[in-house]
Amino acid sequence: MRSVRRGCALGVEPASIPEAALRQPAPGRGGALRRRRKEGRPPAFPSDVAAGAAAMWRRALCVGLLAVALGYLCLLGPQLPPSALRLLPASLLGGLRRARSLESRMVAAWQAAIVRPARGWARVAVGVNACVDVVLSGVKLLEALGLEPGDGKNHAVLTSRQDLKEAFAHFMEKGAAAERFFSDAESFHHIARTASEYPGAQLYVGGNAALIGQKLAANPDLKILLCGPVGPKLHELLDDNVVVPPESMQERDEFHLILEYQAGEEWGQVKAPNANRFIFSHDLSNGALNMLEVFVSSLDEFQPDLVVLSGLHMMEGQSKEMRHRRLMEAVASISDIPTDIPIHLELASMTDQDFMSNIVHQQVFPLVNSIGLNEQELLFLTQSASGPHASLASWNGIPDVGVVSDILFWVLKEHGKTADRASDLTRIHFHTLAYHILATVDGFWGNQVAAVAAGARAAGAQACATETIDTSKVFLKAPLEFVTSQIEAPSKISLNPDEPVVHWHREGISFHFTPVLVCKDPVRTVGLGDAISAEGLLYSEVYPQ
């Protein structure tokens, strides 16, 4: 009877097996029957044969169902809530993790780590650089202007088409982002007209402040104030959730030209190692920080929880005397912002080391609480202020994590808030193509695991122009092993994709590291750094002091 029950469990009726078949040994089983007789054991009865067949069918069915379930989980893994994953048996969960890609495992881990802070922002004021970005292929624009490929050369200020051609080739060969002022107004307007009329050129919200404001405005719970030179086209492009003071409106838009190139793209002898962009403009309103005083005076009425400031780099197009005077006025205006409102400063590409040194040492850094910057800006900062690794001329591929960590530590130790220094700086958000690091002075910022993960997630999604990260369109480029310092006795860290946010500590400063899933074929690189900083700020929490 036992074998009959098993057969029924499989949906097989015993009557369906011919009686003659039960009397015959199964094919190939004669040897087993003879061995049983030789060993003095009774022959196997038909009920035993049926039971064995039923057991084999049951095992095959279970294996098949398990394979289907595992494949289903592999496809849905990143979307499954952590609570559902915790209910799976350990053996199945281990198999699932092995079967899924590194990228899928990282996305799932980020999803679990990205949680809103206990006390978020409600009102954010952003200023003061804003413009319209004209985005197009750099190589195609230069060809449309009749410029032939040639050797690259860096120029602090562009004065002619020849300077533009050489500077573009210089940075394209390095795969590095850069931004320059074009001093010849007539020549720039002709280039800008050619660019905006070129087939495929696209117009977007531009300027670090406007881009950060636009990104934050996607959250309906936030109210955003934007101060900057806002013309009619830019006002049309802005999110409805962005408030622009009437004093900030002007009759003409400021245009910035964004020349993009893709990884592996060639122009003459130059070949881009990765996708990036070269930006240039003849922007007088942003260059003089015309809207800074309007911005600061608007804060009393708006009452923000957070201030985001950018645009200082635009002053490089001014004369040295004008720049120094305007910087002093900017410092005076920033000093008027109440100290209980945290200020985030977003840096951008700069070339004048004296100007950067002034910003670091005694001008702006002590007045702000947080800084956002990329690898080019970090290296220029340490070169300008004689920091660690200042002799490094340029990065060789992916910036070394230990070197980056040393510079971030130095900035916060030497120019940040300490017991004996009157500075408010307590946070730096560093972003490069392959990874991000958030460095914070202990006791001032919370929820930084979520903040750094959110910034990395935004980079992977926005570069590919997808709502969420599509793991088939991205890849892991960050080192799987690295050291945390190249100066002091370092810790060696191995990356675990299931716990992609790594934390280490150094003399009262915490570091949170996470890789970035790099887009294989990026759709748009402009504004990635601003989107990263915006997401990092959105998920950050400042502790009341």
Side-chain angles (χ1 to χ4, degrees):
M1 290 300 293
R2 186 177 299 167
S3 61
V4 172
R5 291 195 195 99
R6 289 179 178 176
C8 289
L10 286 169
V12 179
E13 294 292 339
S16 65
I17 304 175
E19 187 177 348
L22 291 176
R23 287 199 296 268
Q24 298 295 325
R29 301 295 290 271
L33 186 58
R34 285 193 295 271
R35 280 196 302 274
R36 282 178 173 271
R37 287 172 178 167
K38 187 175 181 181
E39 294 168 1
R41 289 186 292 155
F45 288 99
S47 60
D48 296 328
V49 175
M56 285 190 293
W57 275 104
R58 233 183 5 264
R59 284 195 295 270
L61 183 61
C62 290
V63 170
L65 289 172
L66 182 62
V68 171
L70 185 60
Y72 188 69
L73 287 170
C74 287
L75 289 173
L76 295 185
Q79 284 75 42
L80 286 175
S83 56
L85 291 174
R86 285 195 291 270
L87 293 175
L88 295 174
S91 58
L92 179 58
L93 188 57
L96 171 61
R97 284 174 172 163
R98 287 190 295 273
R100 289 159 59 200
S101 67
L102 293 177
E103 290 82 3
S104 296
R105 291 160 62 187
M106 281 181 53
V107 171
W110 281 340
Q111 290 295 104
I114 299 173
V115 294
R116 292 279 184 171
R119 296 187 311 110
W121 321 107
R123 305 170 75 82
V124 181
V126 186
V128 289
N129 62 325
C131 64
V132 174
D133 281 343
V134 182
V135 184
L136 73 164
S137 162
V139 170
K140 289 179 179 177
L141 174 62
L142 295 181
E143 288 175 347
L145 293 171
L147 297 171
E148 297 291 333
D151 294 334
K153 183 181 179 182
N154 191 10
H155 293 277
V157 176
L158 308 181
T159 61
S160 64
R161 294 187 182 194
Q162 180 70 17
D163 287 356
L164 169 63
K165 179 186 81 169
E166 293 175 350
F168 177 80
H170 172 79
F171 287 102
M172 180 180 177
E173 188 170 27
K174 293 178 177 293
E179 187 166 350
R180 295 292 182 267
F181 180 78
F182 200 108
S183 62
D184 187 332
E186 184 177 350
S187 181
F188 174 79
H189 290 309
H190 178 267
I191 296 171
R193 187 164 54 250
T194 303
S196 59
E197 294 173 357
Y198 191 86
Q202 296 175 302
L203 273 60
Y204 295 101
V205 171
N208 307 88
L211 283 165
I212 291 174
Q214 186 83 334
K215 182 69 175 177
L216 291 172
N219 299 271
D221 297 335
L222 277 180
K223 201 69 178 175
I224 308 299
L225 174 78
L226 172 65
C227 281
V230 178
K233 184 62 181 178
L234 177 56
H235 197 247
E236 175 189 323
L237 294 170
L238 287 171
D239 191 285
D240 292 339
N241 206 24
V242 176
V243 176
V244 179
E247 300 86 355
S248 215
M249 297 293 296
Q250 60 182 38
E251 294 182 2
R252 287 184 57 184
D253 285 286
E254 297 287 356
F255 288 94
H256 288 205
L257 304 189
I258 319 295
L259 308 190
E260 294 192 321
Y261 49 85
Q262 302 303 315
E265 187 173 0
E266 298 181 13
W267 190 49
Q269 300 299 312
V270 173
K271 184 175 181 179
N274 51 260
N276 222 316
R277 75 274 188 260
F278 180 81
I279 305 174
F280 68 105
S281 66
H282 180 80
D283 185 341
L284 299 180
S285 296
N286 286 303
L289 260 63
N290 282 347
M291 296 297 168
L292 181 61
E293 285 78 12
V294 171
F295 179 50
V296 174
S297 64
S298 301
L299 301 182
D300 284 341
E301 181 180 349
F302 187 70
Q303 292 292 302
D305 306 310
L306 171 70
V307 167
V308 180
L309 178 66
S310 188
L312 296 181
H313 62 287
M314 296 299 299
M315 289 195 287
E316 283 198 323
Q318 307 290 331
S319 67
K320 193 168 184 177
E321 295 74 18
M322 167 69 175
R323 187 170 60 209
H324 179 74
R325 178 180 62 80
R326 193 69 183 115
L327 181 61
M328 296 301 294
E329 293 170 352
V331 167
S333 292
I334 297 169
S335 300
D336 289 338
I337 299 173
T339 55
D340 61 339
I341 302 175
I343 303 172
H344 172 83
L345 172 67
E346 190 69 15
L347 293 178
S349 178
M350 297 175 66
T351 60
D352 189 295
Q353 290 194 353
D354 290 337
F355 186 41
M356 173 59 87
S357 180
N358 287 336
I359 291 174
V360 172
H361 282 120
Q362 77 271 17
Q363 304 286 355
V364 180
F365 272 30
L367 301 177
V368 302
N369 306 81
S370 172
I371 292 172
L373 76 177
N374 67 18
E375 75 280 5
Q376 300 300 327
E377 294 144 17
L378 183 73
L379 185 58
F380 184 71
L381 188 159
T382 195
Q383 290 169 344
S384 302
S386 302
H389 309 290
S391 60
L392 186 65
S394 62
W395 301 109
N396 183 19
I398 299 173
D400 181 87
V401 177
V403 172
V404 169
S405 176
D406 288 335
I407 302 174
L408 295 176
F409 176 79
W410 164 78
V411 173
L412 289 176
K413 270 294 181 183
E414 295 299 319
H415 305 286
K417 190 175 186 68
T418 59
D420 57 349
R421 184 173 293 106
S423 173
D424 290 328
L425 180 60
T426 51
R427 177 183 183 270
I428 305 175
H429 192 167
F430 169 82
H431 46 84
T432 187
L433 182 69
Y435 64 86
H436 298 168
I437 297 177
L438 259 171
T440 54
V441 178
D442 292 346
F444 291 89
W445 294 87
N447 210 41
Q448 296 303 277
V449 170
V452 73
R457 183 178 64 177
Q462 182 160 317
C464 288
T466 54
E467 286 293 320
T468 58
I469 293 182
D470 183 342
T471 54
S472 68
K473 295 183 177 181
V474 295
F475 68 101
L476 183 64
K477 193 173 183 177
L480 296 179
E481 288 189 343
F482 59 86
V483 295
T484 58
S485 175
Q486 294 292 353
I487 295 176
E488 297 188 356
S491 298
K492 187 174 183 179
I493 290 179
S494 297
L495 185 65
N496 177 6
D498 298 312
E499 297 178 358
V501 178
V502 180
H503 173 259
W504 68 91
H505 199 258
R506 186 173 169 185
E507 296 181 31
I509 294 172
S510 291
F511 296 83
H512 291 89
F513 166 101
T514 197
V516 172
L517 294 177
V518 180
C519 189
K520 296 174 184 176
D521 298 301
V523 177
R524 186 171 181 239
T525 61
V526 176
L528 271 184
D530 303 308
I532 290 162
S533 288
E535 283 292 286
L537 288 168
L538 180 65
Y539 284 89
S540 290
E541 179 179 359
V542 64
Y543 294 142
Q545 300 299 315

